[in-house]
Amino acid sequence: MRCPFCGHDDTQVKDSRPHEDGAAIRRRRICASCSQRFTTIERVQLRDLFVVKVDGRRVPFERDKLARSVRVALRKRPVDDERIERIVNGLVRQLEASGETDIPSRDIGKLVMDTLREVDVVAYIRFASVHWDFRETKDFAAILESIPGTLVRDAPAADGTALRPVVAGGYGPGDVKRR
């Protein structure tokens, strides 16, 4: 392992321990040249995954990009970093276990949304608004209507406060106007 401080090739592992519920190994290392200490995290990668974009491009799957998207959706929500890491690990495992090497981006987005919907509804809506490219308030209304137990404002009543509970479930490309 190359030292990130001086670039020297000779580093020694001082400590190894399981990380992320055993899904990774955390190694504490020291450089033989500059004596700087640093940490590496090793994860098992079952296969090389590729994302097939809407325009047909095929790009390598980036775990960090997925993690960043999930973190943005969960920003300022009551979900700790450890749980976010478990969510991302679970998503990656599901993608690897699918047996496919080429995964359409819309399938990855749906998998993330399914997971976020169970974890935090606000994060789910945030992610959906980016994934489905919401441009109008009616796009948000459509997604809210798909969540049982949420309240959606009807056409304003005389007092402007008419709310109705939503009992419909499910969602999909037909529920939200896509561009």
Side-chain angles (χ1 to χ4, degrees):
M1 171 71 53
R2 185 179 308 267
C3 174
F5 300 102
C6 70
H8 195 260
D9 286 336
D10 188 20
T11 61
Q12 294 179 328
V13 174
K14 290 297 181 185
D15 180 43
S16 291
R17 59 182 64 171
H19 188 63
E20 301 169 0
D21 297 333
I25 297 174
R26 179 183 178 273
R27 297 194 193 280
R28 194 73 181 132
R29 296 176 178 268
I30 187 168
C31 177
S33 177
C34 69
S35 300
Q36 290 287 329
R37 293 176 184 262
F38 60 98
T39 302
T40 60
I41 296 175
E42 300 174 15
R43 290 183 181 86
V44 173
Q45 181 176 339
L46 297 177
R47 61 179 47 98
D48 289 332
L49 298 175
F50 291 90
V51 178
V52 180
K53 301 287 190 173
V54 174
D55 64 6
R57 287 181 300 131
R58 190 174 169 258
V59 297
F61 173 77
E62 296 178 43
R63 182 190 188 284
D64 292 338
K65 186 174 179 182
L66 176 67
R68 197 169 39 250
S69 297
V70 170
R71 284 186 195 287
V72 166
L74 287 165
R75 186 179 305 152
K76 296 185 180 180
R77 301 302 302 155
V79 179
D80 62 18
D81 288 340
E82 187 176 307
R83 183 155 185 217
I84 293 172
E85 198 59 37
R86 285 194 311 268
I87 290 167
V88 172
N89 287 339
L91 291 167
V92 171
R93 271 187 299 234
Q94 286 180 25
L95 292 171
E96 289 177 337
S98 73
E100 300 293 324
T101 56
D102 291 354
I103 304 169
S105 60
R106 69 180 178 285
D107 291 353
I108 295 172
K110 184 177 180 332
L111 182 64
V112 173
M113 288 191 319
D114 288 344
T115 302
L116 288 177
R117 188 174 179 157
E118 298 298 319
V119 173
D120 186 276
V121 174
V122 172
Y124 161 71
I125 293 168
R126 285 178 180 168
F127 188 89
S129 71
V130 173
H131 180 66
W132 285 339
D133 192 22
F134 288 3
R135 296 189 187 262
E136 300 174 16
T137 54
K138 64 182 175 181
D139 296 335
F140 285 96
I143 196 84
L144 285 171
E145 287 176 359
S146 74
I147 302 170
T150 60
L151 297 174
V152 177
R153 193 168 293 282
D154 274 335
D159 63 357
T161 60
L163 293 177
R164 64 182 169 83
V166 175
V167 293
Y171 66 92
D175 295 334
V176 177
K177 186 175 181 180
R178 297 179 69 148
R179 288 174 181 64

